[in-house]
Amino acid sequence: MISVIMSVYNAEKYLSESIESILQQTYRHFEFIIINDCSSDSSLEIINKYGLIDNRIIIVNNSTNLGLTINLNKAISLAKHDFIARMDADDISIKDRFEKQINFLENNPDIDVLGSFCKDIDEEGNIISDRTVPIANSEINKLIHIINPICHPTVVFRKNKLQELGFYNEEYKVVQDYDLWLRCAAKNVKMYNLPEFLLKYRVNDGYHSRKSWKYRMTDLKIRYYGYKKLQLPFYKRIYLIVPVILGILPSWLYKLLKERDFRKTT
């Protein structure tokens, strides 16, 4: 069985579609933990509506805004099942996403973190591009010091295996997934991406605002400590400059690079 975890903050525009994409999964055996992080829009009303019609939904209503990272760990602490599935409040899971991921994990007990390809969509749900990532664990480890090789919202992972890593580092409010994958690689936790498009990933103006300097400095810090944990040779640590370069690029060029997405595999 799966524990699906979702943190929600002012997501009313896409929330219903996102929740329904989980409730309509072909794999039916899950609990769905939704944390409302003090939304000021109608998000809580939407969550409560679905909570009344589906008893698999567990609603947590924060009294103060905690942010994504803390909420993820909070949801994991409440999860009853060993498989933890990530979901964002503006994305759409393909109907057989969980069925395919659970079948793979049950047949491959050596894999602890499982992602997939995804489709980037705009605010209206139109497909912008295909987002592909390295597939095998060896390919992920080969590229992990250069780029984030896993699309965070596509992930299902084994709770007991990542528990020893402390799950997400609450020091980081952004890029928390990249920090976790770097720590997984350093501890030889095996990761894999299914070469199938199992999620529609929302890309909007807020997504491109990640070019902010504060975001990039967090990325740099995570890379710095991640490289140390991986014991990378110094010549490979040149990729510490990647966040800096992205931070000084003109917005139009940054957006173009993100749309082309250099994680694509052949």
Side-chain angles (χ1 to χ4, degrees), residues 112-113 137 141 144 162 165 178-191 230:
D112 300 302
V113 176
N137 184 68
N141 286 338
I144 197 167
L162 269 62
L165 299 178
Y178 191 27
D179 168 73
L180 181 56
W181 314 147
L182 286 165
R183 287 186 285 127
C184 283
K187 292 292 186 179
N188 295 315
V189 173
K190 287 194 175 181
M191 299 173 278
L230 289 171

Side-chain angles (χ1 to χ4, degrees), residues 129-130 255-264:
S129 62
D130 293 347
K255 184 176 181 178
L256 178 63
L257 289 173
K258 292 305 295 183
E259 289 174 353
R260 291 183 178 275
D261 200 338
F262 291 98
R263 287 178 289 195
K264 295 188 189 301

Side-chain angles (χ1 to χ4, degrees), residues 44-226:
L44 182 57
E45 295 174 24
I46 294 170
I47 296 167
N48 286 335
K49 179 188 72 173
Y50 284 101
L52 290 173
I53 62 177
D54 198 309
N55 59 14
R56 292 174 297 180
I57 294 177
I58 300 167
I59 302 170
V60 180
N61 193 27
N62 287 348
S63 58
T64 58
N65 182 271
L66 299 177
L68 176 61
T69 311
I70 294 176
N71 284 332
L72 291 178
N73 282 342
K74 184 176 181 178
I76 291 170
S77 71
L78 297 171
K80 297 176 183 176
H81 306 302
D82 186 48
F83 292 124
I84 307 292
R86 277 281 290 113
M87 185 62 188
D88 280 339
D90 58 351
D91 295 333
I92 303 168
S93 284
I94 303 305
K95 200 168 185 178
D96 58 354
R97 172 193 166 189
F98 293 162
E99 182 178 355
K100 289 182 175 180
Q101 289 183 299
I102 291 302
N103 283 342
F104 182 89
L105 287 168
E106 288 178 342
N107 291 321
N108 295 272
D110 59 320
I111 301 298
D112 300 302
V113 176
L114 179 64
S116 75
F117 294 176
C118 58
K119 301 272 188 179
D120 285 353
I121 58 174
D122 63 18
E123 293 186 354
E124 284 70 45
N126 302 309
I127 295 174
I128 302 170
S129 62
D130 293 347
R131 184 185 295 239
T132 60
V133 285
I135 298 170
N137 184 68
S138 58
E139 296 172 335
I140 291 171
N141 286 338
K142 183 178 180 180
L143 292 172
I144 197 167
H145 66 289
I146 304 173
I147 46 87
N148 187 337
I150 297 177
C151 297
H152 193 198
T154 70
V155 163
V156 176
F157 59 80
R158 299 181 194 272
K159 180 180 179 180
N160 57 2
K161 187 64 178 182
L162 269 62
Q163 195 163 13
E164 62 191 64
L165 299 178
F167 301 111
Y168 296 93
N169 187 339
E170 295 180 3
E171 177 184 350
Y172 304 123
K173 295 183 178 181
V174 295
V175 208
Q176 62 282 106
D177 57 320
Y178 191 27
D179 168 73
L180 181 56
W181 314 147
L182 286 165
R183 287 186 285 127
C184 283
K187 292 292 186 179
N188 295 315
V189 173
K190 287 194 175 181
M191 299 173 278
Y192 193 93
N193 284 309
L194 282 177
E196 298 188 52
F197 295 95
L198 299 182
L199 183 123
K200 293 181 180 180
Y201 187 97
R202 190 82 59 179
V203 178
N204 51 33
D205 290 339
Y207 176 82
H208 293 302
S209 71
R210 295 177 184 180
K211 180 183 175 291
S212 72
W213 196 248
K214 184 177 180 180
Y215 184 98
R216 291 303 159 197
M217 289 304 97
T218 301
D219 188 356
L220 189 151
K221 183 177 181 180
I222 286 170
R223 286 172 184 266
Y224 174 77
Y225 289 111

Side-chain angles (χ1 to χ4, degrees), residues 2-8 15 18-23 30-35 50 54-60 81 85-88 98:
I2 310 176
S3 294
V4 185
I5 61 174
M6 175 191 283
S7 176
V8 177
L15 185 55
S18 180
I19 290 174
E20 288 181 10
S21 77
I22 298 301
L23 300 182
F30 59 81
E31 62 176 359
F32 190 4
I33 302 170
I34 306 177
I35 298 181
Y50 284 101
D54 198 309
N55 59 14
R56 292 174 297 180
I57 294 177
I58 300 167
I59 302 170
V60 180
H81 306 302
R86 277 281 290 113
M87 185 62 188
D88 280 339
F98 293 162

